[in-house]
Amino acid sequence: MVPHLVLAALPLLSITAHVGGLVPMHVSAGLVIVPAAAVLVLLAVFRPVPEDRLVLDGLRWGIVATAVYDVFRLDTVALLGWWDDFIPTMGTWLLDVDRSEQVLGGVAGYVWRYAGDGGGLGVVFVTLAAATGLRRLGPRWTVGAAVLFAVGPTWCGLMATVLLPRGQQLMFPLTPVTVTLSFLGHVVFGLVLGLGTWRVAGIEERWSGPALVDLPALVGRLTRRGSGASSLPRGDSDDAFLPRGERGVPDGGSVPVGARVPGPPLAPAPPLAPAPPHAPVPPLAPVRALRPAPEPAWTPSADPYAADPLPLEPWLPEPFEDPSPTGEVTVLPWGAHPSSGRGPEVFGLGRAHEGRLRAL
């Protein structure tokens, strides 16, 4: 990872070296940066390691953050005209052509800006976030650290480059407008880079080496409290925010990565007070036995279904009412209808069933 981090910082440092008159930019790019990038790409293809994924994630989010920054910057350059665009001039340094070749210089300059400057800064920040456990402090700490990274070493390094003897002549003059706009642009870059780093999944698992700094434990030791509550606690515990002595580990001890560290012993719970005695429940009054209700005596005149031993309630839910005034129903035997052409004993139905038919 050391060659990766050094290569990620070289594109910006080559600009400073060119403005300071130390090494021309086309020389540093042709002799060091481009060959080193090619070697690292070949190593990532043929000898991959888990940290290669960190490089790709950092390169991606660095390019995205630079694109958002350029939307803000080019609006003030092309539409408002508050300052000049020095990226095409930087491209002429890279190609070692005349400064009047602004189109060719613009293509080379923006490729260098996105793949080298912005992508390199993204690689450095994502790698450091994985090596220090920054994301366990939460999204506000991650985004805040990215803004500090974009403003501190990056913007301050740009201002130091412009303050060199030939800086304002080669890049842009320092005025309140240019200083303010460049500062706000780097804040936008840091916000997008921090949000992107927070959204990348599992960067801590891709860091296979020891932690450079246990940042959550350091913050917890400085604050003496776990004020920055971890949204990604190690080992499902917030003990990392406590000082080492309070985590049950003696000073100078070592804890394996991902191990659960027991906390301080819990105080015994106070004994429970005995419950107050309840009042006795009075006995229930004796229940008087109920006598079975006598079954009513049904008569054939009162119940038209009495002549039939089979219950007919499911088929005839309403009581039968005789529409005839005399109360008698004339029922012919089965097959006695003139149109049937059959006798009463055709289906084995005869006098034995006249009572049931009469009831119906």
Side-chain angles (χ1 to χ4, degrees), residues 13-25 93 160-171:
L13 296 178
S14 65
I15 299 175
T16 305
H18 180 90
V19 175
L22 299 177
V23 181
M25 191 171 177
W93 307 342
T161 303
V162 178
L163 288 174
L164 292 175
R166 298 190 305 165
Q168 299 188 52
Q169 178 185 355
L170 296 177
M171 301 181 70

Side-chain angles (χ1 to χ4, degrees), residues 3-360:
H4 278 296
L5 296 179
V6 172
L7 178 63
L10 283 180
L12 281 175
L13 296 178
S14 65
I15 299 175
T16 305
H18 180 90
V19 175
L22 299 177
V23 181
M25 191 171 177
H26 68 277
V27 174
S28 60
L31 291 180
V32 179
I33 300 176
V34 174
V39 170
L40 289 180
V41 169
L42 291 176
L43 288 177
V45 172
F46 295 103
R47 295 294 300 272
V49 294
E51 286 80 5
D52 292 336
R53 185 66 184 179
L54 291 176
V55 176
L56 294 178
D57 291 334
L59 187 67
R60 179 183 62 192
W61 280 107
I63 292 175
V64 172
T66 306
V68 177
Y69 172 24
D70 273 353
V71 171
F72 169 80
R73 187 180 63 86
L74 293 177
D75 176 48
T76 60
V77 169
L79 300 181
L80 300 177
W82 289 348
W83 56 338
D84 295 329
D85 188 9
F86 68 94
I87 303 301
T89 303
M90 183 188 68
T92 60
W93 307 342
L94 180 63
L95 298 178
D96 193 22
V97 296
D98 189 76
R99 190 167 183 175
S100 60
E101 299 287 342
Q102 291 292 302
V103 176
L104 186 60
V107 174
Y110 275 98
V111 170
W112 189 266
R113 173 176 175 80
Y114 279 86
D117 298 343
L121 291 174
V123 170
V124 172
F125 182 77
V126 172
T127 303
L128 292 179
T132 59
L134 172 64
R135 297 200 312 170
R136 298 206 308 272
L137 293 173
R140 289 181 297 178
W141 283 82
T142 305
V143 176
V147 172
L148 291 177
F149 174 76
V151 171
T154 309
W155 181 75
C156 291
L158 174 63
M159 291 295 103
T161 303
V162 178
L163 288 174
L164 292 175
R166 298 190 305 165
Q168 299 188 52
Q169 178 185 355
L170 296 177
M171 301 181 70
F172 56 87
L174 287 181
T175 63
V177 174
T178 58
V179 172
T180 303
L181 292 179
S182 61
F183 176 81
L184 293 178
H186 282 79
V187 170
V188 172
F189 176 85
L191 288 174
V192 178
L193 181 60
L195 292 174
T197 305
W198 174 253
R199 290 178 58 88
V200 176
I203 62 174
E204 291 81 9
E205 287 76 10
R206 298 186 184 116
W207 179 260
S208 58
L212 300 181
V213 178
D214 193 353
L215 200 57
L218 179 62
V219 172
R221 187 178 297 110
L222 293 177
T223 57
R224 304 296 299 176
R225 296 177 61 184
S227 57
S230 170
S231 58
L232 295 173
R234 175 178 295 177
D236 299 333
S237 175
D238 285 330
D239 292 338
F241 296 101
L242 298 176
R244 182 175 296 272
E246 300 181 12
R247 286 184 283 166
V249 180
D251 294 338
S254 60
V255 181
V257 177
R260 299 181 62 92
V261 182
L266 300 177
L272 298 177
H278 295 282
V281 180
L284 298 176
V287 181
R288 189 172 56 178
L290 299 178
R291 290 180 299 174
E295 298 183 358
W298 299 98
T299 60
S301 60
D303 186 5
Y305 309 104
D308 189 359
L310 297 177
L312 299 178
E313 285 81 358
W315 294 274
L316 296 175
E318 300 293 336
F320 175 76
E321 296 182 2
D322 187 5
S324 63
T326 60
E328 295 182 359
V329 179
T330 302
V331 181
L332 296 177
W334 184 266
H337 196 274
S339 62
S340 64
R342 299 179 181 275
E345 301 296 336
V346 172
F347 297 100
L349 300 176
R351 298 289 181 180
H353 296 279
E354 290 186 2
R356 177 177 297 181
L357 294 175
R358 183 178 299 276
L360 291 175

